[in-house]
Amino acid sequence: MGTLGAILKHPVDIYPLLKLRMVAKHAEKQIPPEPHWAFCYSMLHRVSRSFALVIQQLGTELRNAVCIFYLVLRALDTVEDDTSIPTDVKVPILLAFHRHIYDRDWHFSCGTKDYKVLMDQFHNVSTAFLELGEGYQEAIEDITKKMGAGMAKFILKEVESIDDYDEYCHYVAGLVGLGLSKLFHASGLEDLAPDSLSNSMGLFLQKTNIIRDYLEDINEIPKSRMFWPREIWSKYVNKLEDLKYEENSVKAVQCLNDMVTNALIHMDDTLKYLSELRDPAIFRFCAIPQIMAIGTLAMCYNNVDVFRGVVKMRRGLTAQVIHQTKTMADVYGAFFDFSCMLKSKVDNSDPNAVKTLSRLEAAQKSCRESGALNKRKSYIIRNEPIYIPVLIVLFFILLSIIFAYLSANRPSY
Ligand code: IN0
């Protein structure tokens, strides 16, 4: 749960946080009895807390397929991320990963902490994968093959242009969108979404991660990971790592705002993809991470702390998003609110201010034209100030109690 300070500042978080704790406890109790499935679901809980909760609402068959898809991709990612594996060892593993998932005896030890456990006991994931329906297996194999090849390509190549950036994000996240759309279709619950919209869903999430994780990636030992495209950062500094130095703060924030403005391009496709989903559980599963992404972008925009530490949405706000995202009206409401928050942070002297504002206004126009804004419960911005007077009253009550106590115990001379 969040810190006491954060809770006192946002008492509106208390209820969603408690509710989230209960949902998490309930989800942890629902681990299946078969040892390989038990391994897969407990792994999912360990590597991704909120994702593990969101996945719970899917029906069993689709949930199993998505859980395995997620773990296979996490394993592939662990190989890609491990900077201690020599390139000539890493590349063949990435290229052949789609075949390893069919082999119960295959494993490759790498990564650290939970990821090392995932890699060492990968046979559990393969065993569960082999129990999935053929349609699910084919979709997972196809995406793993394409992603492994794309990752191998970028081991040897830097992200130079904005096109490279979009291509890299397509391999590591856009393909996840294509794969999930295939899984939803294979379940018989959804039509097959157009590839370009599925791709944008992944790009919006991944670009947000790349922006948020600047410091962690640049400080990676033994070698920095660099995903910000040279075409953007070279307008502001000579080397990507220069962004983290205090003397470059002004340029760093301008570069950050440029990166956020680039990510905003995908908002329209994201709204379109979500608006075309029919199944309520799939809708929630897809909508929650997208709302978290726009929320994170709103926190990061114009915020020098991105270059000093971790900027994240507070847990209470995440809990609110998880509980309050049910319909498209909620998504339009959240996108509208976070776009408002972003707009209020745009400084006219920023080199990209006009572009940023026009992208935000376009998204707000889509939200307004949906006709759903009036019906929404605006949970993100409007309901917090209501609690400020409550806090003031509570403060005075506490003060009177202390005063009464002190007066009662005053020594009488
Ligand atoms: C995801 C995506 C994800 C979920 C739902 C629909 C999607 C449609 C298209 C593309 C991706 C979609 O969601 C997770 C969310 C996640 O893992 N969140 C972390 C928090 C965080 O900050 O990282 C958590 O701990 O809960 C996601 O980020 N990715 C992902 C990976 C596999 C699958 Cl099956 C679904 C990773 C990525 C790279 C953004 C695609």
Side-chain angles (χ1 to χ4, degrees), residues 44 47-55 65-71 73-74 77 147 169 172-181 183-184 197-207 209 212-213 273-274 282 284-290 292 296 312:
L44 189 71
V47 297
S48 160
R49 290 202 69 80
S50 36
F51 186 76
L53 295 182
V54 176
I55 202 180
V66 174
C67 171
I68 299 308
F69 187 36
Y70 189 89
L71 293 177
L73 299 180
R74 273 290 165 136
D77 208 40
M147 193 182 292
C169 290
V172 299
L175 284 172
V176 179
L178 268 67
L180 282 171
S181 296
L183 297 181
F184 301 156
L197 297 187
S198 306
N199 187 51
S200 296
M201 291 281 285
L203 261 61
F204 192 54
L205 298 183
Q206 181 63 3
K207 288 187 174 181
N209 291 344
R212 181 198 62 191
D213 297 339
Y273 181 100
L274 293 174
I282 294 179
R284 274 169 55 72
F285 169 74
C286 291
I288 291 168
Q290 301 294 329
M292 310 258 243
T296 305
K312 260 191 179 175

Short mmCIF file of all heavy atoms in Angstrom, two decimals, residues 44 47-55 65-71 73-74 77 147 169 172-181 183-184 197-207 209 212-213 273-274 282 284-290 292 296 312, ligand 1:
data_model
loop_
_atom_site.label_atom_id
_atom_site.label_comp_id
_atom_site.label_asym_id
_atom_site.label_seq_id
_atom_site.Cartn_x
_atom_site.Cartn_y
_atom_site.Cartn_z
N LEU A 44 3.44 -15.07 -12.81
CA LEU A 44 2.77 -13.88 -13.34
C LEU A 44 2.56 -12.85 -12.23
O LEU A 44 2.80 -11.66 -12.41
CB LEU A 44 1.43 -14.29 -13.96
CG LEU A 44 0.69 -13.22 -14.74
CD1 LEU A 44 1.42 -12.93 -16.04
CD2 LEU A 44 -0.74 -13.64 -15.05
N VAL A 47 6.03 -11.22 -11.37
CA VAL A 47 6.69 -10.30 -12.30
C VAL A 47 5.82 -9.11 -12.68
O VAL A 47 6.33 -8.10 -13.15
CB VAL A 47 7.22 -11.00 -13.59
CG1 VAL A 47 8.29 -12.00 -13.24
CG2 VAL A 47 6.12 -11.64 -14.40
N SER A 48 4.53 -9.20 -12.49
CA SER A 48 3.69 -8.09 -12.93
C SER A 48 2.41 -8.00 -12.11
O SER A 48 1.43 -8.67 -12.41
CB SER A 48 3.34 -8.31 -14.40
OG SER A 48 2.23 -7.56 -14.73
N ARG A 49 2.43 -7.16 -11.09
CA ARG A 49 1.33 -7.14 -10.12
C ARG A 49 -0.01 -6.71 -10.73
O ARG A 49 -0.98 -7.44 -10.67
CB ARG A 49 1.68 -6.24 -8.93
CG ARG A 49 2.75 -6.84 -8.06
CD ARG A 49 2.71 -6.27 -6.67
NE ARG A 49 1.53 -6.69 -5.93
CZ ARG A 49 1.40 -7.86 -5.34
NH1 ARG A 49 2.35 -8.75 -5.41
NH2 ARG A 49 0.30 -8.15 -4.67
N SER A 50 -0.03 -5.52 -11.36
CA SER A 50 -1.34 -5.07 -11.82
C SER A 50 -1.82 -5.86 -13.03
O SER A 50 -3.01 -6.13 -13.16
CB SER A 50 -1.36 -3.56 -12.08
OG SER A 50 -0.16 -3.13 -12.60
N PHE A 51 -0.87 -6.26 -13.89
CA PHE A 51 -1.26 -7.06 -15.06
C PHE A 51 -1.90 -8.37 -14.59
O PHE A 51 -2.90 -8.82 -15.14
CB PHE A 51 -0.03 -7.33 -15.93
CG PHE A 51 -0.35 -8.02 -17.21
CD1 PHE A 51 -0.92 -7.32 -18.27
CD2 PHE A 51 -0.08 -9.37 -17.39
CE1 PHE A 51 -1.22 -7.96 -19.47
CE2 PHE A 51 -0.37 -10.01 -18.57
CZ PHE A 51 -0.93 -9.31 -19.62
N ALA A 52 -1.30 -8.98 -13.54
CA ALA A 52 -1.81 -10.24 -13.03
C ALA A 52 -3.25 -10.09 -12.52
O ALA A 52 -4.06 -11.01 -12.62
CB ALA A 52 -0.91 -10.74 -11.91
N LEU A 53 -3.58 -8.90 -12.01
CA LEU A 53 -4.95 -8.68 -11.51
C LEU A 53 -5.91 -8.48 -12.68
O LEU A 53 -7.02 -9.00 -12.68
CB LEU A 53 -4.99 -7.44 -10.62
CG LEU A 53 -4.21 -7.52 -9.33
CD1 LEU A 53 -4.38 -6.25 -8.53
CD2 LEU A 53 -4.68 -8.72 -8.51
N VAL A 54 -5.43 -7.72 -13.68
CA VAL A 54 -6.30 -7.39 -14.80
C VAL A 54 -6.64 -8.63 -15.62
O VAL A 54 -7.76 -8.80 -16.09
CB VAL A 54 -5.61 -6.29 -15.66
CG1 VAL A 54 -6.43 -5.97 -16.88
CG2 VAL A 54 -5.40 -5.03 -14.83
N ILE A 55 -5.67 -9.54 -15.71
CA ILE A 55 -5.85 -10.77 -16.51
C ILE A 55 -6.91 -11.69 -15.88
O ILE A 55 -7.57 -12.46 -16.56
CB ILE A 55 -4.48 -11.50 -16.65
CG1 ILE A 55 -4.47 -12.41 -17.86
CG2 ILE A 55 -4.11 -12.25 -15.45
CD1 ILE A 55 -3.15 -13.15 -18.04
N ALA A 65 -4.26 -18.66 -22.15
CA ALA A 65 -3.47 -18.35 -23.35
C ALA A 65 -2.70 -17.03 -23.14
O ALA A 65 -1.50 -16.94 -23.47
CB ALA A 65 -4.38 -18.25 -24.57
N VAL A 66 -3.36 -16.02 -22.57
CA VAL A 66 -2.69 -14.73 -22.38
C VAL A 66 -1.57 -14.85 -21.33
O VAL A 66 -0.50 -14.26 -21.48
CB VAL A 66 -3.72 -13.63 -21.99
CG1 VAL A 66 -3.03 -12.33 -21.63
CG2 VAL A 66 -4.72 -13.39 -23.12
N CYS A 67 -1.82 -15.65 -20.30
CA CYS A 67 -0.80 -15.85 -19.25
C CYS A 67 0.46 -16.46 -19.87
O CYS A 67 1.58 -15.98 -19.62
CB CYS A 67 -1.38 -16.76 -18.16
SG CYS A 67 -0.18 -17.30 -16.94
N ILE A 68 0.29 -17.49 -20.70
CA ILE A 68 1.46 -18.14 -21.32
C ILE A 68 2.14 -17.19 -22.31
O ILE A 68 3.37 -17.09 -22.36
CB ILE A 68 1.05 -19.48 -22.00
CG1 ILE A 68 0.47 -20.44 -20.95
CG2 ILE A 68 2.21 -20.11 -22.75
CD1 ILE A 68 1.35 -20.66 -19.73
N PHE A 69 1.32 -16.48 -23.10
CA PHE A 69 1.87 -15.51 -24.05
C PHE A 69 2.75 -14.51 -23.29
O PHE A 69 3.89 -14.24 -23.66
CB PHE A 69 0.70 -14.80 -24.75
CG PHE A 69 1.08 -13.88 -25.89
CD1 PHE A 69 2.14 -14.19 -26.74
CD2 PHE A 69 0.36 -12.71 -26.13
CE1 PHE A 69 2.47 -13.34 -27.81
CE2 PHE A 69 0.69 -11.87 -27.19
CZ PHE A 69 1.75 -12.18 -28.02
N TYR A 70 2.22 -14.01 -22.17
CA TYR A 70 2.95 -13.02 -21.36
C TYR A 70 4.28 -13.59 -20.87
O TYR A 70 5.32 -12.95 -20.96
CB TYR A 70 2.08 -12.57 -20.18
CG TYR A 70 2.67 -11.40 -19.42
CD1 TYR A 70 2.38 -10.10 -19.80
CD2 TYR A 70 3.51 -11.60 -18.32
CE1 TYR A 70 2.93 -9.02 -19.12
CE2 TYR A 70 4.05 -10.53 -17.64
CZ TYR A 70 3.75 -9.24 -18.04
OH TYR A 70 4.30 -8.17 -17.37
N LEU A 71 4.25 -14.84 -20.36
CA LEU A 71 5.48 -15.42 -19.79
C LEU A 71 6.51 -15.75 -20.88
O LEU A 71 7.72 -15.56 -20.67
CB LEU A 71 5.15 -16.66 -18.96
CG LEU A 71 4.34 -16.39 -17.68
CD1 LEU A 71 4.01 -17.70 -16.97
CD2 LEU A 71 5.10 -15.46 -16.72
N LEU A 73 6.86 -14.11 -23.64
CA LEU A 73 7.45 -12.82 -24.04
C LEU A 73 8.40 -12.29 -22.97
O LEU A 73 9.43 -11.71 -23.29
CB LEU A 73 6.35 -11.79 -24.33
CG LEU A 73 5.41 -12.17 -25.48
CD1 LEU A 73 4.36 -11.09 -25.68
CD2 LEU A 73 6.18 -12.42 -26.76
N ARG A 74 8.04 -12.50 -21.70
CA ARG A 74 8.93 -12.06 -20.61
C ARG A 74 10.26 -12.82 -20.67
O ARG A 74 11.32 -12.26 -20.42
CB ARG A 74 8.27 -12.31 -19.24
CG ARG A 74 7.40 -11.16 -18.79
CD ARG A 74 8.27 -9.97 -18.44
NE ARG A 74 7.48 -8.77 -18.33
CZ ARG A 74 7.60 -7.86 -17.36
NH1 ARG A 74 8.50 -8.00 -16.43
NH2 ARG A 74 6.84 -6.80 -17.35
N ASP A 77 12.28 -11.49 -23.53
CA ASP A 77 12.75 -10.19 -23.08
C ASP A 77 13.94 -10.32 -22.11
O ASP A 77 14.87 -9.51 -22.13
CB ASP A 77 11.57 -9.57 -22.31
CG ASP A 77 11.60 -8.08 -22.36
OD1 ASP A 77 11.93 -7.53 -23.41
OD2 ASP A 77 11.29 -7.46 -21.30
N MET A 147 9.09 -11.50 -33.18
CA MET A 147 9.70 -10.63 -32.17
C MET A 147 11.18 -10.98 -31.95
O MET A 147 12.03 -10.10 -31.87
CB MET A 147 8.94 -10.73 -30.84
CG MET A 147 9.34 -9.64 -29.88
SD MET A 147 8.54 -9.74 -28.30
CE MET A 147 6.87 -9.37 -28.69
N CYS A 169 9.85 -0.48 -31.54
CA CYS A 169 8.66 -0.62 -30.68
C CYS A 169 7.64 -1.59 -31.29
O CYS A 169 6.91 -2.27 -30.57
CB CYS A 169 8.00 0.75 -30.44
SG CYS A 169 9.00 1.82 -29.39
N VAL A 172 8.89 -5.14 -30.23
CA VAL A 172 8.78 -5.54 -28.82
C VAL A 172 7.40 -5.31 -28.22
O VAL A 172 7.08 -5.87 -27.17
CB VAL A 172 9.86 -4.87 -27.92
CG1 VAL A 172 11.25 -5.25 -28.37
CG2 VAL A 172 9.71 -3.36 -27.89
N ALA A 173 6.55 -4.50 -28.87
CA ALA A 173 5.24 -4.21 -28.27
C ALA A 173 4.10 -4.21 -29.29
O ALA A 173 3.02 -4.75 -29.00
CB ALA A 173 5.29 -2.85 -27.57
N GLY A 174 4.32 -3.65 -30.47
CA GLY A 174 3.27 -3.65 -31.50
C GLY A 174 2.86 -5.09 -31.81
O GLY A 174 1.67 -5.41 -31.92
N LEU A 175 3.87 -5.98 -31.92
CA LEU A 175 3.57 -7.39 -32.20
C LEU A 175 2.76 -8.03 -31.07
O LEU A 175 1.97 -8.94 -31.31
CB LEU A 175 4.87 -8.17 -32.41
CG LEU A 175 5.57 -7.98 -33.76
CD1 LEU A 175 6.95 -8.66 -33.75
CD2 LEU A 175 4.72 -8.55 -34.90
N VAL A 176 2.94 -7.55 -29.85
CA VAL A 176 2.14 -8.06 -28.71
C VAL A 176 0.66 -7.72 -28.98
O VAL A 176 -0.23 -8.54 -28.78
CB VAL A 176 2.59 -7.45 -27.37
CG1 VAL A 176 1.74 -7.97 -26.23
CG2 VAL A 176 4.06 -7.71 -27.12
N GLY A 177 0.44 -6.49 -29.48
CA GLY A 177 -0.92 -6.08 -29.83
C GLY A 177 -1.50 -6.99 -30.91
O GLY A 177 -2.63 -7.47 -30.79
N LEU A 178 -0.70 -7.26 -31.95
CA LEU A 178 -1.18 -8.14 -33.03
C LEU A 178 -1.48 -9.54 -32.48
O LEU A 178 -2.48 -10.17 -32.84
CB LEU A 178 -0.11 -8.25 -34.13
CG LEU A 178 -0.20 -7.26 -35.29
CD1 LEU A 178 0.06 -5.82 -34.88
CD2 LEU A 178 0.79 -7.63 -36.39
N GLY A 179 -0.58 -10.02 -31.60
CA GLY A 179 -0.76 -11.36 -31.03
C GLY A 179 -2.01 -11.44 -30.16
O GLY A 179 -2.80 -12.38 -30.26
N LEU A 180 -2.20 -10.42 -29.31
CA LEU A 180 -3.39 -10.43 -28.44
C LEU A 180 -4.66 -10.39 -29.28
O LEU A 180 -5.62 -11.12 -29.00
CB LEU A 180 -3.34 -9.25 -27.47
CG LEU A 180 -2.40 -9.42 -26.28
CD1 LEU A 180 -2.27 -8.12 -25.49
CD2 LEU A 180 -2.88 -10.54 -25.35
N SER A 181 -4.66 -9.56 -30.34
CA SER A 181 -5.86 -9.49 -31.19
C SER A 181 -6.15 -10.87 -31.79
O SER A 181 -7.31 -11.27 -31.89
CB SER A 181 -5.66 -8.47 -32.31
OG SER A 181 -5.53 -7.18 -31.75
N LEU A 183 -5.33 -13.76 -30.39
CA LEU A 183 -5.84 -14.62 -29.30
C LEU A 183 -7.32 -14.30 -29.05
O LEU A 183 -8.13 -15.21 -28.85
CB LEU A 183 -5.03 -14.44 -28.02
CG LEU A 183 -3.54 -14.83 -28.05
CD1 LEU A 183 -2.90 -14.61 -26.68
CD2 LEU A 183 -3.35 -16.28 -28.48
N PHE A 184 -7.67 -13.01 -29.04
CA PHE A 184 -9.08 -12.63 -28.79
C PHE A 184 -9.96 -13.23 -29.90
O PHE A 184 -11.05 -13.75 -29.63
CB PHE A 184 -9.26 -11.10 -28.79
CG PHE A 184 -8.43 -10.36 -27.76
CD1 PHE A 184 -8.10 -9.02 -27.94
CD2 PHE A 184 -8.00 -10.99 -26.60
CE1 PHE A 184 -7.34 -8.34 -27.00
CE2 PHE A 184 -7.24 -10.32 -25.66
CZ PHE A 184 -6.91 -8.99 -25.86
N LEU A 197 -4.12 -0.81 -35.94
CA LEU A 197 -4.66 -0.38 -34.64
C LEU A 197 -4.04 -1.20 -33.50
O LEU A 197 -3.68 -0.66 -32.45
CB LEU A 197 -6.18 -0.52 -34.60
CG LEU A 197 -7.01 0.34 -35.58
CD1 LEU A 197 -8.50 0.20 -35.28
CD2 LEU A 197 -6.61 1.81 -35.51
N SER A 198 -3.90 -2.52 -33.72
CA SER A 198 -3.30 -3.38 -32.68
C SER A 198 -1.86 -2.92 -32.42
O SER A 198 -1.41 -2.87 -31.26
CB SER A 198 -3.26 -4.83 -33.15
OG SER A 198 -4.53 -5.26 -33.54
N ASN A 199 -1.15 -2.57 -33.50
CA ASN A 199 0.23 -2.11 -33.37
C ASN A 199 0.29 -0.84 -32.50
O ASN A 199 1.10 -0.72 -31.59
CB ASN A 199 0.77 -1.83 -34.78
CG ASN A 199 2.25 -1.51 -34.79
OD1 ASN A 199 3.06 -2.24 -34.23
ND2 ASN A 199 2.60 -0.39 -35.39
N SER A 200 -0.61 0.11 -32.79
CA SER A 200 -0.60 1.37 -32.04
C SER A 200 -0.83 1.15 -30.55
O SER A 200 -0.26 1.87 -29.71
CB SER A 200 -1.69 2.32 -32.55
OG SER A 200 -1.42 2.67 -33.87
N MET A 201 -1.67 0.16 -30.20
CA MET A 201 -1.92 -0.13 -28.78
C MET A 201 -0.60 -0.45 -28.08
O MET A 201 -0.31 0.03 -26.98
CB MET A 201 -2.84 -1.35 -28.65
CG MET A 201 -4.25 -1.12 -29.09
SD MET A 201 -5.20 -0.27 -27.83
CE MET A 201 -5.47 -1.59 -26.64
N GLY A 202 0.22 -1.29 -28.73
CA GLY A 202 1.51 -1.66 -28.16
C GLY A 202 2.48 -0.48 -28.14
O GLY A 202 3.19 -0.27 -27.16
N LEU A 203 2.49 0.29 -29.24
CA LEU A 203 3.43 1.42 -29.32
C LEU A 203 3.16 2.47 -28.25
O LEU A 203 4.08 3.04 -27.66
CB LEU A 203 3.39 2.06 -30.72
CG LEU A 203 4.53 1.60 -31.66
CD1 LEU A 203 4.50 0.11 -31.91
CD2 LEU A 203 4.54 2.36 -32.97
N PHE A 204 1.88 2.71 -27.98
CA PHE A 204 1.54 3.72 -26.97
C PHE A 204 2.09 3.28 -25.60
O PHE A 204 2.69 4.08 -24.86
CB PHE A 204 0.02 3.92 -26.92
CG PHE A 204 -0.41 5.12 -26.13
CD1 PHE A 204 0.10 6.38 -26.41
CD2 PHE A 204 -1.33 5.01 -25.09
CE1 PHE A 204 -0.29 7.50 -25.67
CE2 PHE A 204 -1.74 6.12 -24.36
CZ PHE A 204 -1.21 7.36 -24.65
N LEU A 205 1.94 1.99 -25.27
CA LEU A 205 2.44 1.49 -23.98
C LEU A 205 3.98 1.51 -23.94
O LEU A 205 4.58 1.96 -22.96
CB LEU A 205 1.98 0.05 -23.74
CG LEU A 205 0.48 -0.22 -23.64
CD1 LEU A 205 0.23 -1.69 -23.34
CD2 LEU A 205 -0.15 0.64 -22.55
N GLN A 206 4.60 1.02 -25.02
CA GLN A 206 6.04 0.86 -25.00
C GLN A 206 6.76 2.22 -25.01
O GLN A 206 7.76 2.41 -24.33
CB GLN A 206 6.49 -0.01 -26.17
CG GLN A 206 7.99 -0.26 -26.24
CD GLN A 206 8.54 -1.02 -25.04
OE1 GLN A 206 7.79 -1.42 -24.15
NE2 GLN A 206 9.85 -1.17 -24.98
N LYS A 207 6.23 3.17 -25.79
CA LYS A 207 6.87 4.49 -25.83
C LYS A 207 6.78 5.15 -24.45
O LYS A 207 7.71 5.82 -24.00
CB LYS A 207 6.24 5.37 -26.91
CG LYS A 207 6.63 4.91 -28.31
CD LYS A 207 6.15 5.86 -29.39
CE LYS A 207 6.69 5.43 -30.76
NZ LYS A 207 6.26 6.35 -31.84
N ASN A 209 6.77 3.51 -21.59
CA ASN A 209 7.79 2.84 -20.76
C ASN A 209 9.17 3.39 -21.05
O ASN A 209 9.97 3.63 -20.14
CB ASN A 209 7.82 1.32 -21.03
CG ASN A 209 6.56 0.64 -20.53
OD1 ASN A 209 5.80 1.20 -19.75
ND2 ASN A 209 6.31 -0.57 -21.01
N ARG A 212 9.51 6.84 -19.47
CA ARG A 212 9.56 6.75 -18.00
C ARG A 212 10.87 6.14 -17.50
O ARG A 212 11.42 6.55 -16.49
CB ARG A 212 8.36 5.90 -17.54
CG ARG A 212 8.23 5.71 -16.07
CD ARG A 212 7.31 4.52 -15.77
NE ARG A 212 7.87 3.28 -16.30
CZ ARG A 212 7.21 2.12 -16.38
NH1 ARG A 212 5.96 2.05 -16.00
NH2 ARG A 212 7.79 1.04 -16.87
N ASP A 213 11.41 5.15 -18.25
CA ASP A 213 12.56 4.38 -17.78
C ASP A 213 13.90 4.94 -18.24
O ASP A 213 14.91 4.23 -18.21
CB ASP A 213 12.45 2.91 -18.22
CG ASP A 213 11.23 2.23 -17.60
OD1 ASP A 213 10.73 2.72 -16.58
OD2 ASP A 213 10.78 1.21 -18.15
N TYR A 273 -9.35 1.39 -31.36
CA TYR A 273 -9.24 -0.05 -31.07
C TYR A 273 -10.19 -0.41 -29.92
O TYR A 273 -10.97 -1.35 -30.00
CB TYR A 273 -7.80 -0.39 -30.71
CG TYR A 273 -7.55 -1.86 -30.41
CD1 TYR A 273 -7.00 -2.71 -31.36
CD2 TYR A 273 -7.86 -2.42 -29.15
CE1 TYR A 273 -6.77 -4.06 -31.09
CE2 TYR A 273 -7.63 -3.76 -28.87
CZ TYR A 273 -7.07 -4.57 -29.85
OH TYR A 273 -6.85 -5.91 -29.56
N LEU A 274 -10.09 0.37 -28.84
CA LEU A 274 -10.89 0.06 -27.64
C LEU A 274 -12.38 0.18 -27.94
O LEU A 274 -13.19 -0.62 -27.46
CB LEU A 274 -10.50 1.00 -26.49
CG LEU A 274 -9.08 0.81 -25.93
CD1 LEU A 274 -8.77 1.88 -24.89
CD2 LEU A 274 -8.92 -0.59 -25.31
N ILE A 282 -12.56 -8.47 -22.02
CA ILE A 282 -11.43 -8.14 -22.90
C ILE A 282 -11.25 -6.62 -22.93
O ILE A 282 -10.14 -6.10 -22.90
CB ILE A 282 -11.66 -8.72 -24.33
CG1 ILE A 282 -11.64 -10.24 -24.27
CG2 ILE A 282 -10.62 -8.18 -25.32
CD1 ILE A 282 -11.88 -10.95 -25.60
N ARG A 284 -11.90 -4.39 -20.59
CA ARG A 284 -11.24 -3.90 -19.37
C ARG A 284 -9.75 -4.26 -19.37
O ARG A 284 -8.88 -3.46 -19.02
CB ARG A 284 -11.91 -4.52 -18.13
CG ARG A 284 -13.12 -3.74 -17.66
CD ARG A 284 -13.93 -4.48 -16.61
NE ARG A 284 -13.18 -4.91 -15.43
CZ ARG A 284 -12.73 -4.11 -14.48
NH1 ARG A 284 -12.94 -2.83 -14.56
NH2 ARG A 284 -12.10 -4.60 -13.44
N PHE A 285 -9.47 -5.48 -19.81
CA PHE A 285 -8.09 -5.97 -19.88
C PHE A 285 -7.24 -5.04 -20.76
O PHE A 285 -6.08 -4.75 -20.44
CB PHE A 285 -8.10 -7.41 -20.41
CG PHE A 285 -6.75 -7.94 -20.78
CD1 PHE A 285 -5.84 -8.30 -19.80
CD2 PHE A 285 -6.38 -8.07 -22.12
CE1 PHE A 285 -4.58 -8.78 -20.13
CE2 PHE A 285 -5.12 -8.55 -22.46
CZ PHE A 285 -4.22 -8.90 -21.47
N CYS A 286 -7.85 -4.60 -21.88
CA CYS A 286 -7.09 -3.74 -22.81
C CYS A 286 -7.07 -2.27 -22.38
O CYS A 286 -6.08 -1.57 -22.59
CB CYS A 286 -7.70 -3.82 -24.22
SG CYS A 286 -7.45 -5.41 -24.99
N ALA A 287 -8.17 -1.82 -21.80
CA ALA A 287 -8.31 -0.38 -21.51
C ALA A 287 -7.43 0.07 -20.34
O ALA A 287 -6.85 1.17 -20.37
CB ALA A 287 -9.77 -0.04 -21.25
N ILE A 288 -7.33 -0.76 -19.31
CA ILE A 288 -6.62 -0.33 -18.08
C ILE A 288 -5.16 0.06 -18.36
O ILE A 288 -4.74 1.16 -17.99
CB ILE A 288 -6.79 -1.39 -16.96
CG1 ILE A 288 -8.26 -1.39 -16.49
CG2 ILE A 288 -5.85 -1.14 -15.78
CD1 ILE A 288 -8.67 -2.55 -15.61
N PRO A 289 -4.36 -0.80 -19.07
CA PRO A 289 -2.98 -0.36 -19.33
C PRO A 289 -2.89 0.92 -20.16
O PRO A 289 -1.97 1.73 -19.96
CB PRO A 289 -2.37 -1.55 -20.11
CG PRO A 289 -3.24 -2.71 -19.81
CD PRO A 289 -4.61 -2.17 -19.55
N GLN A 290 -3.85 1.14 -21.06
CA GLN A 290 -3.79 2.36 -21.89
C GLN A 290 -4.06 3.60 -21.04
O GLN A 290 -3.43 4.65 -21.23
CB GLN A 290 -4.82 2.28 -23.05
CG GLN A 290 -4.63 1.10 -23.99
CD GLN A 290 -3.34 1.14 -24.80
OE1 GLN A 290 -2.85 2.22 -25.13
NE2 GLN A 290 -2.78 -0.02 -25.11
N MET A 292 -3.42 3.83 -17.87
CA MET A 292 -2.21 4.01 -17.05
C MET A 292 -1.13 4.72 -17.88
O MET A 292 -0.36 5.52 -17.34
CB MET A 292 -1.65 2.67 -16.60
CG MET A 292 -2.68 1.78 -16.00
SD MET A 292 -2.60 1.76 -14.26
CE MET A 292 -2.21 0.06 -14.04
N THR A 296 0.64 8.13 -16.98
CA THR A 296 2.08 8.21 -16.78
C THR A 296 2.69 9.32 -17.64
O THR A 296 3.57 10.07 -17.18
CB THR A 296 2.74 6.84 -17.11
OG1 THR A 296 2.11 5.85 -16.32
CG2 THR A 296 4.23 6.84 -16.84
N LYS A 312 6.20 7.72 -11.43
CA LYS A 312 5.17 6.70 -11.62
C LYS A 312 3.84 7.24 -11.18
O LYS A 312 3.79 8.14 -10.33
CB LYS A 312 5.49 5.50 -10.72
CG LYS A 312 6.16 4.36 -11.40
CD LYS A 312 6.14 3.19 -10.47
CE LYS A 312 6.79 1.98 -11.12
NZ LYS A 312 6.89 0.90 -10.19
C1 IN0 B 1 1.08 -6.49 -22.43
C2 IN0 B 1 0.30 -5.20 -22.28
C3 IN0 B 1 -1.08 -5.21 -22.88
C4 IN0 B 1 -2.18 -5.47 -22.11
C5 IN0 B 1 -3.47 -5.41 -22.67
C6 IN0 B 1 -3.64 -5.13 -24.01
C7 IN0 B 1 -2.55 -4.86 -24.82
C8 IN0 B 1 -2.72 -4.57 -26.19
C9 IN0 B 1 -1.63 -4.30 -26.98
C10 IN0 B 1 -0.35 -4.36 -26.46
C11 IN0 B 1 -0.15 -4.64 -25.12
C12 IN0 B 1 -1.23 -4.91 -24.27
O1 IN0 B 1 0.20 -4.75 -20.94
C13 IN0 B 1 1.30 -4.88 -20.07
C14 IN0 B 1 1.04 -4.09 -18.79
C15 IN0 B 1 2.05 -4.40 -17.70
O2 IN0 B 1 2.74 -5.37 -17.74
N1 IN0 B 1 2.16 -3.54 -16.72
C16 IN0 B 1 3.11 -3.64 -15.61
C17 IN0 B 1 3.40 -2.27 -15.10
C18 IN0 B 1 4.48 -1.56 -15.83
O3 IN0 B 1 4.59 -0.37 -15.55
O4 IN0 B 1 5.24 -2.14 -16.59
C19 IN0 B 1 2.56 -4.38 -14.42
O5 IN0 B 1 3.37 -4.68 -13.52
O6 IN0 B 1 1.39 -4.72 -14.37
C20 IN0 B 1 2.61 -4.49 -20.72
O7 IN0 B 1 3.22 -3.50 -20.33
N2 IN0 B 1 3.12 -5.31 -21.72
C21 IN0 B 1 2.47 -6.47 -22.18
C22 IN0 B 1 3.22 -7.63 -22.38
C23 IN0 B 1 2.60 -8.81 -22.75
C24 IN0 B 1 1.22 -8.82 -22.91
CL1 IN0 B 1 0.45 -10.31 -23.32
C25 IN0 B 1 0.44 -7.67 -22.74
C26 IN0 B 1 4.49 -5.01 -22.24
C27 IN0 B 1 4.60 -4.19 -23.54
C28 IN0 B 1 6.07 -4.17 -23.97
C29 IN0 B 1 4.16 -2.75 -23.34
C30 IN0 B 1 3.77 -4.80 -24.66
#
